[in-house]
């Protein structure tokens, strides 16, 4: 799983190939000399501008480029290691496997040349910038320049303060760490800004699609309203016309009947008169007069009915006026996005959805990995401690191994202490190691402490909380190893803690602030600490005075057998990994059990370390060496 040399090394920022004759600018960007001459030389052939730092053409500033000798040293060490690996590959399998094991430096004598050099072990000798045939062995603290013996006797003859390069580096260690932290902080800020702007772009596109869909929907709604109104008007017209037509149809039928009857009467009367048979009709005259009078009255009544009414359609002028001024609607920009509503208090439900999983082993491991702890970075990379292989590993979210750094002790826990650094506790030395987080993980420094703090967490404000393997205390100390106060002290007559496996603060220990620079001063904190105790099979919360806020034990609805990793999600809910029940449990701020977020049925097998990241993702390790990352979503119930 390790990457090849072409991926381990820094690539040229212009040609994106492995560096050839690398030259470094004062901004710490490195390029091939040929690339600089071809692309970054303007007014002088010896001065170059940095293409990565230039935002606008007016920002161009030219500097001298100096050879990067550290890179050449690393390349030489890498070539030496590859040659040694090829020689080991030619040996028999058993002998080659035995040779691949490298004992620790503090335990026994070892052949330093057999260890893979991730960084030069000896100080790199730099050629003097003034005398190419001489090596710079000293550093002038007055001129802030490297100097060879010839320079000391000539250019620096009046300078009185010189240091060996190694001593000068140690003297400037704080300045180097400060620059490293500043770069790392700016990197985090830029990544966050990039993420925010990318999120804003996605929101803009989503807003665009929503508005266009709303416009089409509004148009469809208006068309549907017009059609509906048209149908209602048409139905009213048809109903009215049908009623009027029915009345006229009935009257027309009655008139038709009268017409037929009168025609028959008239036909009979005409035939009688033409046959001179009027005398036969004379007896009928009184009755016929009454019938004619009645028929005349009925005809008068029929004729007195209302005539057909004139029906007209009146248009709604307001509709035309509204459509003229605002055809579909108006687009109003109200400014900045509204502040999201505050989280409502109440019962919440947390759901973990599988995102990615991979094995945390590496080809250089001497045994199966035991990943005891894990942290999740903002960019998605994960860093974990491998106890059995005595190293710290860094993977990306695709499961690719980025860095594997050896530690001369047995690593136990890892905690992020700033935007650029993490602290690692060990189980067999009175020491705390500080590692870089970005790029290639490396050991920056270590501090000696008065106890073996196997279990560690960060409280923020340059403070750490550590618990001993003997379970006799939980101390708060600064990054110099000085104990600030004692949170818990084991009573001699009774033991209240058996084995505090994992500790974590109830509030985030590191808050990334883009506006306020990190302070160098140690600040106290009042956050409580959550502790999982696998010995007593409990999970509890202590305040800064050591008072217990709550204690969770096994009940009829909850079984705790081996509680290990504990972390606090950004929603405030607590996640606890119970190894022997193959589950991840969810608790609220008061220690009330809510649910099992993950179980064996969902593929979880003996979880160990767990960490909730800033973007809602949750990463955890299993005893079998698997690393799993989940997407977390919280809903109100």
């Amino acid at each position: 799983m390790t990457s090849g040399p072409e991926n381990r090394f820094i690539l040229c920022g212009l040609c994106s190939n492995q560096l050839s004759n690398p030259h470094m600018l004062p901004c710490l960007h490195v390029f091939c000399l040929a690339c600089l001459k071809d692309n970054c030389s303007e007014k002088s052939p010896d001065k170059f501008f940095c293409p990565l730092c230039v935002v606008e053409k007016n920002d161009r500033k030219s500097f001298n480029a100096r050879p990067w000798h550290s890179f050449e040293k690393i390349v030489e060490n890498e070539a030496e290691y590859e040659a040694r690996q090829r020689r080991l590959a030619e040996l028999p399998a058993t002998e080659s496997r035995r040779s691949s094991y490298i004992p620790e430096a503090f335990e026994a004598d070892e052949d330093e040349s057999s260890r893979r050099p991730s960084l030069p072990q000896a100080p790199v000798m730099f050629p003097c910038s003034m005398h190419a045939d001489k090596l710079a062995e000293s550093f002038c603290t007055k001129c802030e320049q490297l100097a060879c013996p010839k320079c000391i006797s000539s250019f620096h003859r009046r300078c009185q303060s010189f240091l060996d390069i190694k001593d000068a580096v140690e003297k400037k260690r704080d300045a180097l760490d400060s620059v490293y932290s500043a770069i790392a902080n700016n990197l985090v800020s830029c990544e966050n800004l990039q993420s925010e702007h990318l999120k804003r772009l996605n929101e803009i596109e989503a807003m665009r699609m929503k508005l266009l869909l709303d416009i089409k929907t509004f148009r469809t709604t208006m068309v549907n309203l017009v059609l509906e109104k048209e149908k209602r008007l048409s139905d009213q017209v048809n109903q009215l016309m049908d009623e009027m037509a029915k009345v006229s149809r009935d009257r027309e039928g009655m008139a038709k009947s009268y017409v037929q009857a009168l025609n028959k009467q008239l036909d009979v009367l005409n035939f009688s008169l033409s046959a001179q048979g009027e005398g036969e009709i004379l007896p009928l005259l009184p009755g016929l007069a009454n019938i004619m009078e009645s028929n005349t009255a009925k005809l008068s009544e029929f004729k007195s009915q209302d005539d057909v009414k004139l029906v007209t359609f009146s248009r709604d002028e307001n509709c035309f006026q509204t459509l003229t001024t605002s055809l579909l609607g108006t687009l109003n920009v109200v400014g900045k996005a509204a502040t999201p509503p505050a989280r409502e208090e109440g019962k919440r439900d947390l759901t973990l959805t599988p995102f990615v999983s991979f094995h945390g082993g590496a080809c250089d491991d001497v045994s199966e990995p035991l990943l005891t702890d894990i942290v999740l970075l903002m960019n998605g990379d994960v860093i974990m401690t491998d106890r059995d292989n005595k190293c710290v590993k860094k993977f990306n979210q695709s499961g690719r191994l980025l860095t594997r750094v050896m530690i001369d002790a047995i690593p136990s826990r890892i905690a992020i202490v700033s935007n650029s650094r993490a602290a690692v506790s060990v189980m067999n030395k009175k020491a705390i190691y500080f590692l870089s987080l970005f790029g290639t993980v490396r050991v920056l420094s270590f501090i000696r402490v008065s106890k073996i703090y196997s279990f560690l967490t960060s409280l923020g404000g340059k403070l750490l909380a550590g618990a001993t393997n003997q379970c006799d205390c939980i101390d708060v100390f600064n990054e110099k190893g000085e104990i600030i106060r004692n949170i818990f002290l084991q009573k001699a007559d009774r033991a209240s803690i058996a084995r505090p496996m994992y500790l974590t603060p109830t509030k985030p220990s590191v808050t990334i602030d883009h506006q306020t620079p990190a302070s160098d001063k140690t600040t106290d904190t009042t956050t409580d600490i959550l502790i999982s105790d696998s010995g007593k099979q409990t999970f509890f919360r202590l305040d800064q005075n050591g008072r217990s806020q709550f204690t969770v034990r096994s009940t009829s609805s909850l079984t705790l057998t081996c509680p290990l990793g504990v972390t606090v999600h950004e929603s405030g809910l607590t996640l606890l990994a119970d190894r022997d029940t193959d589950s991840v449990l969810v608790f609220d701020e008061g220690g009330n059990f809510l649910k099992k977020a993950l179980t064996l049925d969902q593929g979880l097998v003996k979880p160990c370390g767990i960490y909730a990241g800033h973007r809602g993702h949750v990463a955890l390790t299993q005893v079998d060496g698997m690393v799993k990352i989940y997407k977390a979503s919280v809903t109100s119930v």
Side-chain angles (χ1 to χ4, degrees):
M1 296 178 66
T2 54
S3 55
E6 66 277 3
N7 294 328
R8 279 195 298 270
F9 294 145
I10 296 176
L11 302 180
C12 176
L14 287 170
C15 65
S16 299
N17 296 324
Q18 189 164 326
L19 291 166
S20 174
N21 193 4
H23 275 60
M24 181 169 56
L25 296 175
C27 56
L28 292 186
H29 288 142
V30 184
F31 309 91
C32 302
L33 181 60
C35 294
L36 284 175
K37 289 183 177 180
D38 292 341
N39 301 281
C40 303
S41 180
E42 260 189 333
K43 300 178 181 179
S44 172
D46 298 329
K47 290 185 178 295
F48 312 97
F49 65 87
C50 179
L52 299 180
C53 293
V54 171
V55 178
E56 299 179 359
K57 190 172 181 180
N58 296 332
D59 294 339
R60 290 184 177 179
K61 295 181 181 180
S62 298
F63 303 95
N64 289 327
R66 62 176 62 187
W68 194 24
H69 299 289
S70 300
F71 180 84
E72 298 174 352
K73 182 66 175 177
I74 293 177
V75 172
E76 293 175 2
N77 289 343
E78 187 68 28
E80 180 183 353
Y81 171 79
E82 296 295 339
R84 186 182 304 111
Q85 291 297 102
R86 288 193 296 270
R87 291 196 298 271
L88 288 175
E90 298 173 357
L91 297 175
T94 56
E95 188 174 352
S96 174
R97 182 63 176 171
R98 192 183 312 116
S99 302
S100 65
Y101 176 73
I102 303 173
E104 298 302 331
F106 70 93
E107 294 177 340
D109 295 337
E110 66 173 356
D111 183 9
E112 286 292 340
S113 62
S114 65
R115 175 179 294 184
R116 179 174 185 159
S118 59
L119 287 175
Q121 300 298 320
V124 181
M125 301 302 294
F126 306 99
C128 180
S129 59
M130 303 299 297
H131 306 94
D133 57 334
K134 304 289 185 182
L135 293 179
E137 301 176 357
S138 303
F139 179 77
C140 178
T141 58
K142 180 180 179 181
C143 302
E144 297 285 335
Q145 291 181 352
L146 299 177
C148 67
K150 191 172 182 179
C151 289
I152 294 176
S153 61
S154 57
F155 300 106
H156 301 282
R157 63 181 181 273
R158 295 185 179 180
C159 300
Q160 301 296 325
S161 180
F162 296 95
L163 292 175
D164 182 75
I165 292 180
K166 184 176 180 180
D167 295 336
V169 169
E170 291 302 323
K171 185 175 181 180
K172 295 287 185 177
R173 179 67 63 186
D174 292 342
L176 290 172
D177 288 345
S178 176
V179 170
Y180 181 90
S181 297
I183 294 175
N185 290 337
N186 289 336
L187 173 61
V188 171
S189 299
C190 289
E191 287 180 343
N192 289 333
L193 289 175
Q194 180 186 8
S195 176
E196 290 176 3
H197 289 300
L198 181 60
K199 180 180 178 182
R200 181 59 177 166
L201 286 175
N202 295 334
E203 291 176 351
I204 290 174
E205 290 304 318
M207 191 182 304
R208 183 204 306 275
M209 298 303 298
K210 180 181 181 302
L211 290 175
L212 295 178
L213 181 62
D214 287 346
I215 292 174
K216 292 182 179 179
T217 304
F218 188 34
R219 181 203 63 188
T220 304
T221 303
M222 290 186 65
V223 171
N224 292 335
L225 289 175
V226 171
L227 294 177
E228 185 179 353
K229 181 65 175 179
E230 177 187 359
K231 184 177 183 302
R232 286 201 302 268
L233 291 174
S234 300
D235 291 343
Q236 291 177 5
V237 169
N238 290 328
Q239 181 181 0
L240 179 61
M241 294 301 106
D242 288 343
E243 292 176 355
M244 296 175 66
K246 183 177 182 300
V247 172
S248 297
R249 192 178 296 111
D250 292 343
R251 291 177 180 180
E252 187 271 339
M254 294 173 60
K256 183 177 180 180
S257 299
Y258 278 119
V259 168
Q260 292 178 352
L262 291 173
N263 281 330
K264 296 297 183 179
Q265 287 176 335
L266 190 59
D267 288 342
V268 171
L269 183 60
N270 286 332
F271 186 82
S272 296
L273 292 175
S274 62
Q276 296 180 356
E278 296 91 342
E280 187 177 2
I281 300 175
L282 291 177
L284 302 176
L285 288 178
L288 288 175
N290 292 331
I291 291 174
M292 291 301 104
E293 184 179 358
S294 176
N295 288 339
T296 301
K298 290 181 179 179
L299 291 175
S300 301
E301 292 177 0
F302 180 77
K303 185 177 180 181
S304 66
Q305 295 294 328
D306 294 336
D307 294 332
V308 176
K309 296 179 180 179
L310 179 62
V311 179
T312 61
F313 171 71
S314 60
R315 298 177 301 181
D316 188 353
E317 296 299 333
N318 292 331
C319 176
F320 286 96
Q321 183 178 0
T322 302
L323 291 176
T324 303
T325 56
S326 177
L327 197 57
L328 287 177
T330 58
L331 183 65
N332 299 321
V333 181
V334 296
K336 296 183 179 179
T339 304
R343 175 172 58 89
E344 296 181 359
E345 294 298 333
K347 190 174 181 180
R348 286 157 289 156
D349 181 48
L350 184 141
T351 303
L352 296 179
T353 306
F355 179 59
V356 69
S357 65
F358 56 88
H359 193 268
C363 64
D364 291 335
D365 290 346
V366 298
S367 65
E368 284 297 315
L370 180 55
L371 308 176
T372 56
D373 206 0
I374 186 171
V375 294
L376 184 62
L377 303 184
M378 292 287 290
N379 61 357
D381 294 345
V382 290
I383 300 179
M384 61 202 76
T385 53
D386 187 344
R387 191 188 73 181
D388 287 358
N389 290 291
K390 299 180 181 179
C391 65
V392 175
K393 298 174 180 177
K394 179 180 181 181
F395 290 82
N396 61 14
Q397 277 194 351
S398 300
R400 178 185 175 190
L401 179 64
L402 302 177
T403 304
R404 180 179 182 273
V405 56
M406 301 296 296
I407 294 182
D408 59 350
I410 302 176
S412 175
R413 303 291 183 262
I414 182 170
I416 296 178
V417 297
S418 70
N419 291 336
S420 59
R421 295 185 307 151
V424 174
S425 63
V426 293
M427 304 183 68
N428 58 340
K429 293 180 69 175
K430 296 180 180 180
I432 302 293
Y433 291 77
F434 291 94
L435 277 67
S436 60
L437 291 179
F438 297 97
T440 301
V441 176
R442 62 188 179 93
V443 177
L444 297 174
S445 60
F446 75 94
I447 59 173
R448 298 193 180 278
V449 290
S450 58
K451 306 172 185 177
I452 298 179
Y453 293 110
S454 299
F455 315 112
L456 183 75
T457 190
S458 173
L459 300 179
K462 294 185 175 294
L463 291 180
L464 299 169
T468 61
N469 203 24
Q470 290 75 24
C471 316
D472 57 351
C473 67
I474 298 177
D475 296 332
V476 175
F477 52 92
N478 59 23
E479 294 186 4
K480 295 181 180 180
E482 301 169 344
I483 296 179
I484 305 299
R485 66 176 177 276
N486 177 273
I487 295 181
F488 170 80
L489 186 62
Q490 192 81 289
K491 302 290 184 180
D493 53 344
R494 62 182 178 88
S496 57
I497 296 179
R499 189 169 177 81
M501 294 295 292
Y502 287 84
L503 300 84
T504 190
T506 55
K507 297 179 182 178
S509 59
V510 178
T511 302
I512 299 176
D513 191 346
H514 308 300
Q515 305 296 332
T516 307
S519 173
D520 292 333
K521 296 182 179 179
T522 298
T523 57
D524 203 347
T525 178
T526 58
T527 181
D528 294 350
I529 298 179
L530 298 172
I531 303 171
S532 62
D533 191 337
S534 62
K536 288 200 168 186
Q537 300 177 349
T538 60
F539 159 61
F540 56 97
R541 174 173 175 172
L542 294 180
D543 63 14
Q544 290 298 301
N545 295 319
R547 292 189 295 265
S548 176
Q549 302 300 302
F550 63 76
T551 300
V552 178
R553 296 183 176 86
S554 296
T555 62
S556 58
S557 60
L558 171 65
T559 301
L560 290 179
T561 56
C562 186
L564 296 181
V566 59
T567 186
V568 178
H569 188 259
E570 59 185 13
S571 63
L573 300 177
T574 299
L575 302 176
L576 176 67
D578 194 310
R579 186 191 65 188
D580 291 350
T581 59
D582 301 313
S583 60
V584 171
L585 312 174
V586 183
F587 299 85
D588 62 12
E589 291 85 342
N592 300 308
F593 173 66
L594 301 180
K595 62 177 289 189
K596 287 186 177 182
L598 296 173
T599 61
L600 182 62
D601 296 337
Q602 296 165 294
L604 187 67
V605 180
K606 295 193 179 302
C608 186
I610 189 170
Y611 185 84
H614 296 285
R615 297 182 179 178
H617 288 190
V618 175
L620 60 83
T621 62
Q622 296 183 164
V623 174
D624 59 2
M626 290 298 295
V627 179
K628 296 184 177 181
I629 302 177
Y630 298 84
K631 289 183 178 179
S633 59
V634 179
T635 56
S636 299
V637 179

